Amino acid sequence: MGNLTSVIQFIYKRSYEDYVKRLDELRDPHIIYVTDLASCTHKYYLRTQYPELLFRFEPVAILGEMVHAGLESILEKEGFEIEYEVSKQFTLNEGTYTLKGRIDAYNRSTGVVVEIKTSRSSQGIPREHHLIQLQIYLNMVNASKGILLYITPDRIAEYDIERQDLILEDMMKNLINDNMHPRWDWECRYCIFSKMCPYRINKVD
């Protein structure tokens, strides 16, 4: 390609720089992400020990990021705040923990939270861990309604979700005490840490 500019290099550089900025936070056991609360509790511990394994530069991940960026741009024009950061502190087990997340799109005037999900398949949607994630966001911003939007090769599906009151402190304790490993019977197949995890299960389809 000679001296031609590489678009792939631009995409890679942005992805890698965003990841490096988060490395210290990924190592910190007192930083808990909303997605942690909807996942295997032991994954949270392995994430703090081996955060370098989380960097992904794969077509399916890039495609998901591009879909998010495009849809968020549309929603921003409709009055939504995009990549809306939320956080809340908890004192648990004599330590202070921060629950953090980033809502894809949030309209404060209407109280609507939108979460965007891309998937290779529409089978099984809406998926339970996505519903839990959305419910956590609804509770954190005290919103009454959420929209879970799926983009798959064969469907564009939208689900209206009403808020259910959650006890976030109990969910945090459950994670910190490592009580559910794995949480879902399919998790180990897709977990980057499964090769070193003592709780790995091999599900036979």
Side-chain angles (χ1 to χ4, degrees), residues 13-148:
K13 181 180 179 183
R14 176 178 174 181
S15 296
Y16 185 71
E17 287 177 348
D18 288 346
Y19 163 76
V20 169
K21 288 177 184 176
R22 295 180 60 218
L23 257 179
D24 287 342
E25 190 173 279
L26 289 168
R27 291 192 180 100
D28 189 345
H30 292 91
I31 299 293
I32 293 174
Y33 299 114
V34 168
T35 51
D36 290 331
L37 296 186
S39 304
C40 167
T41 56
H42 201 62
K43 186 176 181 180
Y44 149 74
Y45 282 97
L46 292 173
R47 179 259 289 176
T48 62
Q49 296 175 53
Y50 310 104
E52 294 82 4
L53 296 179
L54 291 171
F55 178 67
R56 296 176 62 204
F57 189 72
E58 300 174 6
V60 66
I62 301 302
L63 182 60
E65 291 175 9
M66 296 302 103
V67 171
H68 271 73
L71 289 174
E72 287 170 355
S73 177
I74 293 172
L75 290 171
E76 189 174 28
K77 294 176 182 177
E78 298 299 325
F80 285 82
E81 297 177 63
I82 62 171
E83 300 291 317
Y84 185 84
E85 295 188 358
V86 292
S87 65
K88 186 174 182 179
Q89 285 195 331
F90 297 81
T91 300
L92 304 165
N93 296 356
E94 300 182 354
T96 300
Y97 295 82
T98 301
L99 177 62
K100 298 186 64 174
R102 188 180 295 171
I103 297 171
D104 290 332
Y106 177 43
N107 190 318
R108 277 194 273 189
S109 62
T110 61
V112 174
V113 169
V114 178
E115 273 297 292
I116 301 165
K117 301 298 179 184
T118 57
S119 176
R120 299 178 188 181
S121 169
S122 61
Q123 184 176 2
I125 62 173
R127 298 186 177 124
E128 192 167 358
H129 58 298
H130 294 156
L131 291 168
I132 292 173
Q133 181 183 353
L134 178 54
Q135 286 290 349
I136 294 170
Y137 283 136
L138 292 174
N139 278 261
M140 290 184 75
V141 297
N142 197 30
S144 58
K145 178 184 175 182
I147 295 175
L148 190 53

